Amino acid sequence: AYYYDPIVRTTVALDGTYLACAAAGILTSADAATPLTHKILTGFRDVAYHPSNSAANAIAKYGVSIVENNPTFGLRVRHGLTCNPTSAETQEISVVRQLDYVSQRLRDVMDANIIATKITRSTLGVVTSLITNALQATEESQIIYGYKNVFARINPNDPRQIDVVCSIRPAYPCDYVEITINVTSSLEGF
């Protein structure tokens, strides 16, 4: 990356860690579901490497996020990826962040309300209610698309442990829009 230093009035070459820090700043300032794709990295003039689309696709296939100098928007993240390109759930950084956010939120709720309390006949119902409420709040704040199948049980091998299972659907980023244009010579309907 290149940065213009106004003190010495020259452009300075910076390594990719500075771009990574700028991208991390964008991630931390947005909610967990906001994609990194097409976010603008400010404060930089250019990138040293300008791959073709096919070269950028080949690099991204291995889980490398590309920063491009877009003539309209400036320096931006071409596609916010993780290093695990095996599926949409592991490849998209916003999806991974949502899963991490939900996991941490549910752990916090359990830690504040259930851990270090006695397990009674009503505990499983309380756990299910707490998890459901936390997931509902996460859905309403548009961190996830939705959830279902919240289930709690006492672990059959350790009576001190409660196992909770639920399903969530992340708010996937829109990476592509396919447009089909039909051409007709007929004036009918126009």
Side-chain angles (χ1 to χ4, degrees), residues 109-119 123 160 162:
V109 168
M110 291 298 101
D111 191 48
N113 296 284
I114 299 298
I115 301 299
T117 65
K118 56 188 168 192
I119 298 174
T123 301
R160 300 167 298 170
I162 296 174

Side-chain angles (χ1 to χ4, degrees), residues 124 139 141 181:
L124 295 180
E139 178 185 340
S141 63
I181 300 174

Side-chain angles (χ1 to χ4, degrees), residues 103-145:
S103 296
Q104 185 62 54
R105 177 82 179 110
L106 298 182
R107 281 194 302 271
D108 290 347
V109 168
M110 291 298 101
D111 191 48
N113 296 284
I114 299 298
I115 301 299
T117 65
K118 56 188 168 192
I119 298 174
T120 65
R121 290 184 186 267
S122 64
T123 301
L124 295 180
V126 171
V127 167
T128 301
S129 178
L130 288 168
I131 295 289
T132 300
N133 290 341
L135 290 171
Q136 184 175 354
T138 307
E139 178 185 340
E140 288 171 357
S141 63
Q142 299 181 346
I143 300 296
I144 62 171
Y145 183 88

Side-chain angles (χ1 to χ4, degrees), residues 21-123:
C21 289
I26 290 170
L27 288 174
T28 59
S29 67
D31 68 43
T34 300
L36 185 58
T37 299
H38 286 194
K39 296 300 178 276
I40 306 300
L41 302 178
T42 58
F44 302 96
R45 286 216 156 163
D46 200 357
V47 289
Y49 178 56
H50 299 269
S52 66
N53 269 342
S54 61
N57 289 340
I59 294 168
K61 172 172 80 170
Y62 294 101
V64 177
S65 288
I66 304 289
V67 174
E68 63 185 1
N69 194 350
N70 182 284
T72 305
F73 302 107
L75 250 56
R76 72 178 187 178
V77 178
R78 182 175 183 261
H79 190 175
L81 301 173
T82 72
C83 296
N84 185 351
T86 55
S87 70
E89 289 74 27
T90 61
Q91 180 182 42
E92 294 286 346
I93 195 164
S94 61
V95 173
V96 171
R97 291 184 71 225
Q98 289 171 67
L99 299 176
D100 290 345
Y101 178 89
V102 169
S103 296
Q104 185 62 54
R105 177 82 179 110
L106 298 182
R107 281 194 302 271
D108 290 347
V109 168
M110 291 298 101
D111 191 48
N113 296 284
I114 299 298
I115 301 299
T117 65
K118 56 188 168 192
I119 298 174
T120 65
R121 290 184 186 267
S122 64
T123 301

